[in-house]
Amino acid sequence: MWRARAAAVCVVCQSLANSSYGVKGKSPLQKLHLVSRSIHHPHYTSSKFQRPPLRTSIQQFSSLNHLPLRKTKLLSVKYGYLSHRNFWVARLASRLLKLRYLVLGSAVGGGYTAKKTYDQWKEMLPDLSDYKWIVPDFIWELDEHIDFEKLSKALPDAEDFAKLLPDFDKIGESLSSLKGFFSPDSQGETAFRATDQGYENDKQYKKVSDKEKIDQLQEELLHTQLKYQRILERLEKENKELRKLVLQKDDKGIHQRKLKKSLIDMYSEVLDILSDYDASYNTQDHLPRVVVVGDQSAGKTSVLEMIAQARIFPRGSGEMMTRSPVKVTLSEGPHHVALFKDSSREFDLTKEEDLAALRNEIEIRMRKSVKEGCTVSAETISLNVKGPGLQRMVLVDLPGVISTVTSGMAPDTKDTIFSISKAYMQNPNAIILCIQDGSVDAERSIVTDLVSQMDPHGKRTIFVLTKVDLAERNVASPNRIQQIIEGKLFPMKALGYFAVVTGKGNSSESIESIKDYEEEFFQNSKLLKTCMLKAHQVTTRNLSLAVSDCFWKMVRESVEQQADAFKATRFNLETEWKNNYPRLRELDRNELFEKAKNEILDEVISLSQVTPKHWEEILQKTLWERVSTHVIENIYLPAAQTTNSGTFNTTVDIKLKQWTDKQLPNKAVEVAWETLQEEFSHFMTEKKGKEHDDIFDKLKQAVKEESIKRHKWNERAEDSLRVIQHNALEDRSISDKQQWDAAIHFMEDTLQSRLKDTESVIEDMVGPDWKKRWLYWVGRTKEQNIRNETKNELEKMIKCNEDHAAYLANDEVTTVRKNLEAKGVAVDPCLIKDTWHQVYRRHFLRTALSHCNLCRRGFYYYQRHFVDSELECNDVVLFWRIQRMLAITANTLRQQLTNTEVRRLEKNVKEVLEDFAEDSDKKVKLLTGKRVQLAEDLKKVREIQEKLEAFIEALHQEK
């Protein structure tokens, strides 16, 4: 047996050979180095250490390694002493024999006890074969620098070691002869009795039951692990404070160097870009992240908060709080803060008011992301959490899996949550953190079946059992907890199993109090004392360390493959662009928007370059077209029915005053606003030849409509304009012959235009005349024949009385109807009046035109106020007043346009463009087409590839 284990326990035996029995010493297992424990592991049978095929690069401390064991005390043996006698020869001999016996006996007994203790401890050690990847790389590389086989050969073998031991048979004979030499009542007998008594005590110590030893050793092991855990936490806390001071000094610029962006921040940026990238070229996002899944209210949020060391998520009692995925990027920093990807505000996680504001902001963002009629959303909220001592990783908290859709939820809520969870878990490089509530029956779990479907072999799943304190208190058989942690109860497989405690259920508990409660619970838990749970499988700290190690291992294994995939995608996109748009620059949506923005602002500036003459001509023409009907129908025709010039002027003044007070200023402002819109639209939609890019048409149209919608004319413009127009219409003095001729021309053009319109209306009423009927072979309808007969009858009445009034009397209507009935034409009185209106208008306009020709030479009589003259040209004065009012109004509106309204419109356009620039959805809607999408994909792929390459370079440098 010694030969079989000579190479393994040689170091232990040699160290114990020189120690005395009853003196304090270390336990044999405590003297074994980590390498020695690995060598003695039952999975490594040969003395030559074999390197496992799976390599990993992690921190020197791993949560899955055993902590060093505490020193154990061996029971000491008390020895008696001989009384003082005068037999100095016998006393000297007995003492020499006693000393030799003690030395030799201790060597033999110590070696046997060491071997037996070593066997017991070796059987108690856990099986670490599943966690070989946790051992740091430098451990595996020790065999390259130290030849253990050569070292074992250099040590003496078992036979040589046995030669060094004394001959116990000869020792026994010597003791017997020495005992017979002395008398029974001598001091020597007392000495031998004392020696024999010590020997009997040693035998009695060896008869202690194995169960008591195991219990004692387990208790000591547990206390030792907790002790070193506290020491480790204290050292890490000191390290955290030192790193915080260093980072604060860097922030203040003491070292005069710029801090580089951390690895995890670089990696998080890549994930943010990928979340916005439309993978239309089959380049899927397979970059690792930690996906946190679990049943509703299983404790997912609490586990994340313990890892982030802050209560950052909204909390509810049994209701669904996580309504959309939340990506949390953990990184180290001097201050414990949190900030969103699209915001610059930092939330101080050490202040309760900032924590409340952060929770409220997360809840608001979740509700905004949920569309109407839905309960959950697939839109991701990105949050960065920095703080000293945080483990670097990226976690995604998903909505909790539910089994039943309750009232108030959308009918598809359950299926939506399943689809979101599967979309994240189907990533072959995603680490699945499966959260299971330990306080409920395991058979009620839904998420375990879902996880086992996505990762059947458990190569990237870490199982976490929460609320272990409640489970230990309520579960009748604690063995179920052991079965869960050992992976024997669920059909799913996992890379590792952990048990955690996330507080007492009080949402106001601090992270520190939860940590203290968790440590106190596991320190007193029977699950650890009875070895149902192992020390490296408990506490959220060990969990976060293990998850971080797995995360970075997965990142190192997959990131280069992803970079190569995006490199190939970039080549395909660049080739497609060269083939389709060889002469165009690759402008993405933002760059195209900036180009369109500059063009629109240039076109708005062009409004200020319009000449005053052009403005006034357009305004005067448009305003007269808008008010001419009112002037002819409501002012000129009623006034012309008067019998003398005084009544004519009085009627005109009254009508003009009423018109100016109520309608004219408002009409003028409407005309000016419409003119500004037309000119603005003209510049916006004007084609610019070959340089015109129709990709901007939708954007320009939207900007034009929104700017016009926001623009409001100055409300005080109507009041000032009303005064100006009233003063212009009150002036009747025509200063020279040129103005008189201009008024005659204006009146003649107006009357001719009205006469032409009236004749067109009459023609539509009575149908084509005989020439058109013969030339175009068209005829009249029955109604047109009736109207034609009525027109002819009314024209006879006007010929008989050319000064007829504007309205027919009732007896005249009856006369016309009877005359038509005599001809066999039945006609309605309303039709007679309607026809009369157009016939009389034509007669009036023809008469006014002939009078206008007579007034061409009437300026001389006007200067004399038509004294001693039968010619009266008051209608010419009316049209001059109207013409002058139009000119003054156009000039006033032009000044207001160029000085105020154009600038206000330009300001509105800039505001609209700024709003559109911040609205990505608006830009996607207005800037569309294959060219835009191709440029957008090309930009995103280039950015992803460049950031991945920078991240890979930084990752290699960190190694």
Side-chain angles (χ1 to χ4, degrees), residues 293 425 432 434 447-456 461 492:
V293 296
M425 289 191 292
I432 303 173
C434 180
V447 71
T448 52
D449 294 336
L450 180 62
V451 172
S452 61
Q453 293 175 10
M454 307 308 297
D455 184 23
T461 300
M492 62 168 287

Side-chain angles (χ1 to χ4, degrees), residues 852-867:
C852 181
N853 290 327
L854 294 175
C855 289
R856 288 181 183 276
R857 299 181 297 275
F859 180 69
Y860 171 75
Y861 300 103
Y862 166 76
Q863 288 179 330
R864 296 181 61 185
H865 303 288
F866 301 103
V867 178

Side-chain angles (χ1 to χ4, degrees), residues 58 115 248 303 369 391 407 700 728 783 814 875 906 914:
I58 58 173
K115 175 182 176 301
Q248 287 176 344
V303 171
S369 66
Q391 297 299 319
S407 60
K700 289 183 178 180
E783 183 179 357
T814 304
D875 49 357
E906 182 179 355
E914 289 176 359

Side-chain angles (χ1 to χ4, degrees), residues 21 99-111 166 168 171 202 206:
Y21 187 77
L99 179 62
R100 183 180 179 186
Y101 172 76
L102 290 175
V103 172
L104 298 178
S106 298
V108 176
F168 295 104
I171 292 174
D202 184 38
K206 292 179 182 178

Side-chain angles (χ1 to χ4, degrees), residues 100-129:
R100 183 180 179 186
Y101 172 76
L102 290 175
V103 172
L104 298 178
S106 298
V108 176
Y112 175 76
T113 305
K115 175 182 176 301
K116 186 175 181 181
T117 305
Y118 169 73
D119 293 336
Q120 293 176 355
W121 277 60
K122 187 177 70 173
E123 292 175 358
M124 292 165 52
L125 289 176
D127 186 5
L128 299 179
S129 60

